[in-house]
Each structure stands twice: as structure tokens, then as C-alpha cells.
Amino acid sequence: MNGQAAASPWHRGEVAIQESVGMAGRMAELGPRVIRDHLTDQHRAFFPLLPFAVLGSVDGEGRPWATLREGEPGFLHAPDPFRLWVDGRRDPDDPAEAGLEDGDGVALLGIELATRRRNRLNGTVERAGPEGFAIRVEQSFGNCPQYIHSRHEGPRIGDGATRPRPILSDELDPAARALVAAADTFFVASFVEDAGQRQVDVSHRGGRPGFVRVGADGGLTVPDYSGNRFFNTLGNLLANPRAGLVFPDFATGALLQMSGRTEIVLDPNEDERIGGAERLWRFVPERVVFRPRALGLRFVEHRAA
């Protein structure tokens, strides 16, 4: 929470971006109505339908990471309106695992690719053992389906399949650059520290294949399209210019994860504008983890007949 009205869900970074587009007053009114400290019945019914979720966490060095975790539908379930349970064993290959200890701040995005429906929450990890954890909900809200590419689930690769070891680097190699340059979807984790409390967010970004530009120096330029005007991600990046990105390869189950520094460009020059984007942000990777066949899930994009 910020130092404004006690009921406001917005922190200083979010308010600053909202003010820059003349929406702070409207968001001050809307926020307390749509961002809740619990899961609605609708959201409690939604999460158990999902075969995967996106998580955002922060490791011991203060680096945010985004990741995907999968399971049979029902691996996400809400025993009450204030907790979401995430079943599943620890994954030592996942850099996000370091930020999933008891008491850590965490974010989760539930997204149903076939229907393009999504819901977000953030809160605190409650863990009593290695077989999963609960998230104590602090903020929960729905998102519109904009920019989500509709996909249906394909055959799942069995748990017995051998997974190669992660490939670690501090920069994007040619294969990683090619994956990003072809991507139409990625997820971004970010966080702020406010009044001694860590608030983590993880959100979806989508566009036409190639909507993320890869520079000659390996830095990424990301367009920011018109959305709900909450500015959860950009508000976090304004207050704390660190982000964790994950690019999933839905055809192979690979995950390209990276953590690094960001810069927001609210008013880009004419020569750096991206069509349809209102603003840009840049990302410089500092840690890169490529995990081949990290997921058993496969998805196929819906094609018009």
C-alpha cells in the first residue's frame, strides 16, 4: 500500500505512471472496487481448471524471475477465499525457486489460453514442506483478454522424459535471440519494496511475432500497448528498474528465463517508436537460464479456418 488513502491499492510508481496519462483520479476511484484482498467465488472456480500457472518471485540477490509451473487441473485450488494452494515439488533447475520460501513475496497469473481468460494475484508464500505451498492473498483482480494468442493444449510429454540440464549465461546467445525474435508471448515479473513490504507482480505481454525487438547489444525493446491503465508492471519498473522475463516455447516446452535491468521510455523518439505502442521499455539481461523441455505441456495456436 502507498501513503495515500488507506483503501488505495496503488503504490507510488503506479500512481506516477497513471498521472502521466491523466488517469490517476479515475484509477483512485476504480482501484478499490476491482482489486480485492481475497479470491472471489468466480476466481476460486477458475484456478482449478488450469494446467499451468505463471509465477513471479525474487531470489536472495534481489533478482526477479518469472516462470511457468504445470500440473493436472486441480493442482491450483483455493481452500478458502484468502489462500491459493499450488501443488508440486520443488524444481532446483528453476531460478524462481529461490524466491518461493515461506514468507517470501510472490505473484501468480492464471491464464487459460484457449479462452484468453486471465486472473492475477499477489501475496505471501506459506510453505510447510517440499510438496507445494499456499499463497496468502493480498491483491487479486481480473484482466482483459487483450493481446493473448488463443492456443489449445496438445499432447503432454510424460513425466518420465529426461530433461536436459539448464544452460546458464549472462547474455543471449544466437538461439535465445532467435526465440525472442519469433515470440508472440512472454511473461514479466517485477516488484517494489514499500514500507518494509515486498509486493511482487507477474503479467502477460503479447503481440505479433517479433513484437519484442532484439538489439545488436542483446538488449530488448518492448512495446507497451494500451491496456487497463493499472500500470502494475510499469509502475513497478519505475520504482525499481528490475525485471524477470520468461519466453515459453509452446511447441517444445522450453523456457527462456532472464533477469536484468530496465528503462522506461514514456515518450519515444520518432525513429524508435513501435507501431501501436504508446510507450516503450528496455531490458538488459544480466542472468539468462535456458531450460530445454522444462515443461511437459505443449500448446498449438488456433488458426482461422
Side-chain angles (χ1 to χ4, degrees), residues 137-158:
V137 177
E138 293 168 7
Q139 293 184 335
S140 173
F141 54 102
N143 272 163
C144 69
Q146 276 187 300
Y147 314 115
I148 299 175
H149 291 261
S150 181
R151 288 179 161 89
H152 64 268
E153 188 175 344
R156 185 189 292 255
I157 305 301

PDB file of all heavy atoms in Angstrom, residues 137-158:
ATOM      1  N   VAL A 137      -3.332 -14.369  -0.011  1.00  0.00           N
ATOM      2  CA  VAL A 137      -3.680 -13.332  -0.984  1.00  0.00           C
ATOM      3  C   VAL A 137      -3.653 -11.945  -0.352  1.00  0.00           C
ATOM      4  O   VAL A 137      -4.239 -11.715   0.711  1.00  0.00           O
ATOM      5  CB  VAL A 137      -5.076 -13.606  -1.582  1.00  0.00           C
ATOM      6  CG1 VAL A 137      -5.486 -12.484  -2.542  1.00  0.00           C
ATOM      7  CG2 VAL A 137      -5.096 -14.947  -2.304  1.00  0.00           C
ATOM      8  N   GLU A 138      -2.980 -11.024  -1.032  1.00  0.00           N
ATOM      9  CA  GLU A 138      -3.010  -9.618  -0.647  1.00  0.00           C
ATOM     10  C   GLU A 138      -3.755  -8.774  -1.685  1.00  0.00           C
ATOM     11  O   GLU A 138      -4.463  -7.840  -1.336  1.00  0.00           O
ATOM     12  CB  GLU A 138      -1.577  -9.100  -0.444  1.00  0.00           C
ATOM     13  CG  GLU A 138      -0.892  -9.751   0.750  1.00  0.00           C
ATOM     14  CD  GLU A 138       0.598  -9.473   0.809  1.00  0.00           C
ATOM     15  OE1 GLU A 138       1.096  -8.651  -0.006  1.00  0.00           O
ATOM     16  OE2 GLU A 138       1.274 -10.080   1.659  1.00  0.00           O
ATOM     17  N   GLN A 139      -3.568  -9.096  -2.973  1.00  0.00           N
ATOM     18  CA  GLN A 139      -4.303  -8.420  -4.044  1.00  0.00           C
ATOM     19  C   GLN A 139      -4.727  -9.463  -5.068  1.00  0.00           C
ATOM     20  O   GLN A 139      -3.939 -10.337  -5.437  1.00  0.00           O
ATOM     21  CB  GLN A 139      -3.446  -7.351  -4.731  1.00  0.00           C
ATOM     22  CG  GLN A 139      -3.099  -6.169  -3.856  1.00  0.00           C
ATOM     23  CD  GLN A 139      -2.339  -5.094  -4.626  1.00  0.00           C
ATOM     24  OE1 GLN A 139      -1.688  -5.357  -5.623  1.00  0.00           O
ATOM     25  NE2 GLN A 139      -2.429  -3.863  -4.158  1.00  0.00           N
ATOM     26  N   SER A 140      -5.964  -9.353  -5.539  1.00  0.00           N
ATOM     27  CA  SER A 140      -6.486 -10.273  -6.539  1.00  0.00           C
ATOM     28  C   SER A 140      -7.377  -9.491  -7.495  1.00  0.00           C
ATOM     29  O   SER A 140      -8.203  -8.682  -7.054  1.00  0.00           O
ATOM     30  CB  SER A 140      -7.290 -11.391  -5.862  1.00  0.00           C
ATOM     31  OG  SER A 140      -7.948 -12.201  -6.815  1.00  0.00           O
ATOM     32  N   PHE A 141      -7.199  -9.729  -8.796  1.00  0.00           N
ATOM     33  CA  PHE A 141      -8.016  -8.997  -9.774  1.00  0.00           C
ATOM     34  C   PHE A 141      -7.977  -9.696 -11.121  1.00  0.00           C
ATOM     35  O   PHE A 141      -7.067 -10.475 -11.425  1.00  0.00           O
ATOM     36  CB  PHE A 141      -7.546  -7.547  -9.918  1.00  0.00           C
ATOM     37  CG  PHE A 141      -6.087  -7.369 -10.243  1.00  0.00           C
ATOM     38  CD1 PHE A 141      -5.664  -7.079 -11.530  1.00  0.00           C
ATOM     39  CD2 PHE A 141      -5.128  -7.444  -9.238  1.00  0.00           C
ATOM     40  CE1 PHE A 141      -4.323  -6.892 -11.817  1.00  0.00           C
ATOM     41  CE2 PHE A 141      -3.782  -7.254  -9.517  1.00  0.00           C
ATOM     42  CZ  PHE A 141      -3.378  -6.983 -10.818  1.00  0.00           C
ATOM     43  N   GLY A 142      -8.969  -9.424 -11.939  1.00  0.00           N
ATOM     44  CA  GLY A 142      -9.046  -9.978 -13.283  1.00  0.00           C
ATOM     45  C   GLY A 142      -8.407  -9.046 -14.289  1.00  0.00           C
ATOM     46  O   GLY A 142      -8.169  -7.868 -14.021  1.00  0.00           O
ATOM     47  N   ASN A 143      -8.108  -9.593 -15.470  1.00  0.00           N
ATOM     48  CA  ASN A 143      -7.546  -8.831 -16.576  1.00  0.00           C
ATOM     49  C   ASN A 143      -8.355  -9.107 -17.831  1.00  0.00           C
ATOM     50  O   ASN A 143      -8.926 -10.196 -17.992  1.00  0.00           O
ATOM     51  CB  ASN A 143      -6.093  -9.224 -16.844  1.00  0.00           C
ATOM     52  CG  ASN A 143      -5.080  -8.437 -16.022  1.00  0.00           C
ATOM     53  OD1 ASN A 143      -3.944  -8.835 -15.905  1.00  0.00           O
ATOM     54  ND2 ASN A 143      -5.478  -7.318 -15.453  1.00  0.00           N
ATOM     55  N   CYS A 144      -8.327  -8.163 -18.768  1.00  0.00           N
ATOM     56  CA  CYS A 144      -8.984  -8.357 -20.046  1.00  0.00           C
ATOM     57  C   CYS A 144      -8.154  -9.301 -20.920  1.00  0.00           C
ATOM     58  O   CYS A 144      -6.971  -9.524 -20.652  1.00  0.00           O
ATOM     59  CB  CYS A 144      -9.196  -7.022 -20.745  1.00  0.00           C
ATOM     60  SG  CYS A 144      -7.666  -6.245 -21.308  1.00  0.00           S
ATOM     61  N   PRO A 145      -8.745  -9.856 -22.001  1.00  0.00           N
ATOM     62  CA  PRO A 145      -8.035 -10.834 -22.833  1.00  0.00           C
ATOM     63  C   PRO A 145      -7.174 -10.232 -23.924  1.00  0.00           C
ATOM     64  O   PRO A 145      -6.660 -10.966 -24.776  1.00  0.00           O
ATOM     65  CB  PRO A 145      -9.184 -11.646 -23.437  1.00  0.00           C
ATOM     66  CG  PRO A 145     -10.305 -10.663 -23.561  1.00  0.00           C
ATOM     67  CD  PRO A 145     -10.191  -9.784 -22.341  1.00  0.00           C
ATOM     68  N   GLN A 146      -6.971  -8.909 -23.929  1.00  0.00           N
ATOM     69  CA  GLN A 146      -6.197  -8.272 -24.990  1.00  0.00           C
ATOM     70  C   GLN A 146      -4.808  -8.891 -25.153  1.00  0.00           C
ATOM     71  O   GLN A 146      -4.142  -9.208 -24.183  1.00  0.00           O
ATOM     72  CB  GLN A 146      -6.021  -6.783 -24.696  1.00  0.00           C
ATOM     73  CG  GLN A 146      -7.189  -5.906 -25.136  1.00  0.00           C
ATOM     74  CD  GLN A 146      -6.846  -4.442 -24.952  1.00  0.00           C
ATOM     75  OE1 GLN A 146      -6.574  -3.985 -23.844  1.00  0.00           O
ATOM     76  NE2 GLN A 146      -6.877  -3.687 -26.039  1.00  0.00           N
ATOM     77  N   TYR A 147      -4.409  -9.053 -26.419  1.00  0.00           N
ATOM     78  CA  TYR A 147      -3.051  -9.449 -26.804  1.00  0.00           C
ATOM     79  C   TYR A 147      -2.702 -10.891 -26.446  1.00  0.00           C
ATOM     80  O   TYR A 147      -1.557 -11.301 -26.598  1.00  0.00           O
ATOM     81  CB  TYR A 147      -2.003  -8.496 -26.207  1.00  0.00           C
ATOM     82  CG  TYR A 147      -2.361  -7.043 -26.365  1.00  0.00           C
ATOM     83  CD1 TYR A 147      -2.619  -6.231 -25.259  1.00  0.00           C
ATOM     84  CD2 TYR A 147      -2.487  -6.470 -27.635  1.00  0.00           C
ATOM     85  CE1 TYR A 147      -2.967  -4.892 -25.411  1.00  0.00           C
ATOM     86  CE2 TYR A 147      -2.836  -5.134 -27.790  1.00  0.00           C
ATOM     87  CZ  TYR A 147      -3.077  -4.352 -26.677  1.00  0.00           C
ATOM     88  OH  TYR A 147      -3.430  -3.037 -26.822  1.00  0.00           O
ATOM     89  N   ILE A 148      -3.663 -11.673 -25.971  1.00  0.00           N
ATOM     90  CA  ILE A 148      -3.420 -13.088 -25.700  1.00  0.00           C
ATOM     91  C   ILE A 148      -3.721 -13.878 -26.971  1.00  0.00           C
ATOM     92  O   ILE A 148      -4.809 -13.767 -27.538  1.00  0.00           O
ATOM     93  CB  ILE A 148      -4.298 -13.611 -24.546  1.00  0.00           C
ATOM     94  CG1 ILE A 148      -3.996 -12.857 -23.251  1.00  0.00           C
ATOM     95  CG2 ILE A 148      -4.078 -15.104 -24.337  1.00  0.00           C
ATOM     96  CD1 ILE A 148      -4.905 -13.235 -22.096  1.00  0.00           C
ATOM     97  N   HIS A 149      -2.781 -14.684 -27.417  1.00  0.00           N
ATOM     98  CA  HIS A 149      -2.979 -15.534 -28.581  1.00  0.00           C
ATOM     99  C   HIS A 149      -3.670 -16.819 -28.135  1.00  0.00           C
ATOM    100  O   HIS A 149      -3.200 -17.512 -27.234  1.00  0.00           O
ATOM    101  CB  HIS A 149      -1.646 -15.848 -29.248  1.00  0.00           C
ATOM    102  CG  HIS A 149      -1.021 -14.660 -29.908  1.00  0.00           C
ATOM    103  ND1 HIS A 149      -1.120 -14.416 -31.260  1.00  0.00           N
ATOM    104  CD2 HIS A 149      -0.308 -13.631 -29.394  1.00  0.00           C
ATOM    105  CE1 HIS A 149      -0.485 -13.288 -31.558  1.00  0.00           C
ATOM    106  NE2 HIS A 149       0.013 -12.794 -30.435  1.00  0.00           N
ATOM    107  N   SER A 150      -4.776 -17.129 -28.778  1.00  0.00           N
ATOM    108  CA  SER A 150      -5.552 -18.302 -28.405  1.00  0.00           C
ATOM    109  C   SER A 150      -4.832 -19.576 -28.839  1.00  0.00           C
ATOM    110  O   SER A 150      -4.425 -19.716 -29.998  1.00  0.00           O
ATOM    111  CB  SER A 150      -6.938 -18.234 -29.063  1.00  0.00           C
ATOM    112  OG  SER A 150      -7.720 -19.349 -28.704  1.00  0.00           O
ATOM    113  N   ARG A 151      -4.658 -20.494 -27.899  1.00  0.00           N
ATOM    114  CA  ARG A 151      -4.000 -21.762 -28.170  1.00  0.00           C
ATOM    115  C   ARG A 151      -4.759 -22.888 -27.480  1.00  0.00           C
ATOM    116  O   ARG A 151      -5.361 -22.673 -26.419  1.00  0.00           O
ATOM    117  CB  ARG A 151      -2.559 -21.747 -27.645  1.00  0.00           C
ATOM    118  CG  ARG A 151      -1.590 -20.873 -28.430  1.00  0.00           C
ATOM    119  CD  ARG A 151      -0.206 -20.903 -27.812  1.00  0.00           C
ATOM    120  NE  ARG A 151       0.826 -20.473 -28.744  1.00  0.00           N
ATOM    121  CZ  ARG A 151       1.220 -19.209 -28.900  1.00  0.00           C
ATOM    122  NH1 ARG A 151       0.667 -18.257 -28.154  1.00  0.00           N
ATOM    123  NH2 ARG A 151       2.155 -18.904 -29.776  1.00  0.00           N
ATOM    124  N   HIS A 152      -4.710 -24.072 -28.067  1.00  0.00           N
ATOM    125  CA  HIS A 152      -5.294 -25.221 -27.389  1.00  0.00           C
ATOM    126  C   HIS A 152      -4.197 -26.196 -26.991  1.00  0.00           C
ATOM    127  O   HIS A 152      -3.116 -26.235 -27.602  1.00  0.00           O
ATOM    128  CB  HIS A 152      -6.352 -25.918 -28.265  1.00  0.00           C
ATOM    129  CG  HIS A 152      -5.818 -26.530 -29.520  1.00  0.00           C
ATOM    130  ND1 HIS A 152      -5.782 -25.851 -30.731  1.00  0.00           N
ATOM    131  CD2 HIS A 152      -5.293 -27.762 -29.762  1.00  0.00           C
ATOM    132  CE1 HIS A 152      -5.271 -26.637 -31.655  1.00  0.00           C
ATOM    133  NE2 HIS A 152      -4.964 -27.788 -31.101  1.00  0.00           N
ATOM    134  N   GLU A 153      -4.479 -26.966 -25.961  1.00  0.00           N
ATOM    135  CA  GLU A 153      -3.483 -27.870 -25.406  1.00  0.00           C
ATOM    136  C   GLU A 153      -3.286 -29.062 -26.320  1.00  0.00           C
ATOM    137  O   GLU A 153      -4.243 -29.692 -26.767  1.00  0.00           O
ATOM    138  CB  GLU A 153      -3.913 -28.322 -24.011  1.00  0.00           C
ATOM    139  CG  GLU A 153      -2.864 -29.102 -23.261  1.00  0.00           C
ATOM    140  CD  GLU A 153      -3.281 -29.427 -21.839  1.00  0.00           C
ATOM    141  OE1 GLU A 153      -4.227 -28.801 -21.338  1.00  0.00           O
ATOM    142  OE2 GLU A 153      -2.645 -30.323 -21.236  1.00  0.00           O
ATOM    143  N   GLY A 154      -2.025 -29.385 -26.604  1.00  0.00           N
ATOM    144  CA  GLY A 154      -1.689 -30.555 -27.399  1.00  0.00           C
ATOM    145  C   GLY A 154      -1.315 -31.721 -26.508  1.00  0.00           C
ATOM    146  O   GLY A 154      -1.505 -31.676 -25.286  1.00  0.00           O
ATOM    147  N   PRO A 155      -0.768 -32.795 -27.090  1.00  0.00           N
ATOM    148  CA  PRO A 155      -0.357 -33.949 -26.285  1.00  0.00           C
ATOM    149  C   PRO A 155       0.697 -33.542 -25.258  1.00  0.00           C
ATOM    150  O   PRO A 155       1.612 -32.783 -25.557  1.00  0.00           O
ATOM    151  CB  PRO A 155       0.225 -34.915 -27.325  1.00  0.00           C
ATOM    152  CG  PRO A 155      -0.380 -34.503 -28.624  1.00  0.00           C
ATOM    153  CD  PRO A 155      -0.565 -33.015 -28.531  1.00  0.00           C
ATOM    154  N   ARG A 156       0.555 -34.061 -24.070  1.00  0.00           N
ATOM    155  CA  ARG A 156       1.503 -33.766 -22.991  1.00  0.00           C
ATOM    156  C   ARG A 156       2.619 -34.805 -23.000  1.00  0.00           C
ATOM    157  O   ARG A 156       2.368 -36.001 -23.147  1.00  0.00           O
ATOM    158  CB  ARG A 156       0.775 -33.784 -21.642  1.00  0.00           C
ATOM    159  CG  ARG A 156       1.630 -33.384 -20.451  1.00  0.00           C
ATOM    160  CD  ARG A 156       0.889 -33.650 -19.165  1.00  0.00           C
ATOM    161  NE  ARG A 156      -0.255 -32.776 -18.989  1.00  0.00           N
ATOM    162  CZ  ARG A 156      -0.287 -31.747 -18.141  1.00  0.00           C
ATOM    163  NH1 ARG A 156       0.769 -31.471 -17.402  1.00  0.00           N
ATOM    164  NH2 ARG A 156      -1.374 -31.022 -18.016  1.00  0.00           N
ATOM    165  N   ILE A 157       3.865 -34.340 -22.863  1.00  0.00           N
ATOM    166  CA  ILE A 157       5.009 -35.240 -22.780  1.00  0.00           C
ATOM    167  C   ILE A 157       5.086 -35.798 -21.365  1.00  0.00           C
ATOM    168  O   ILE A 157       4.957 -35.058 -20.386  1.00  0.00           O
ATOM    169  CB  ILE A 157       6.313 -34.504 -23.135  1.00  0.00           C
ATOM    170  CG1 ILE A 157       6.190 -33.849 -24.511  1.00  0.00           C
ATOM    171  CG2 ILE A 157       7.485 -35.469 -23.102  1.00  0.00           C
ATOM    172  CD1 ILE A 157       5.900 -34.802 -25.640  1.00  0.00           C
ATOM    173  N   GLY A 158       5.282 -37.087 -21.229  1.00  0.00           N
ATOM    174  CA  GLY A 158       5.227 -37.744 -19.930  1.00  0.00           C
ATOM    175  C   GLY A 158       6.286 -37.267 -18.961  1.00  0.00           C
ATOM    176  O   GLY A 158       7.359 -36.795 -19.349  1.00  0.00           O
TER     177      GLY A 158
END
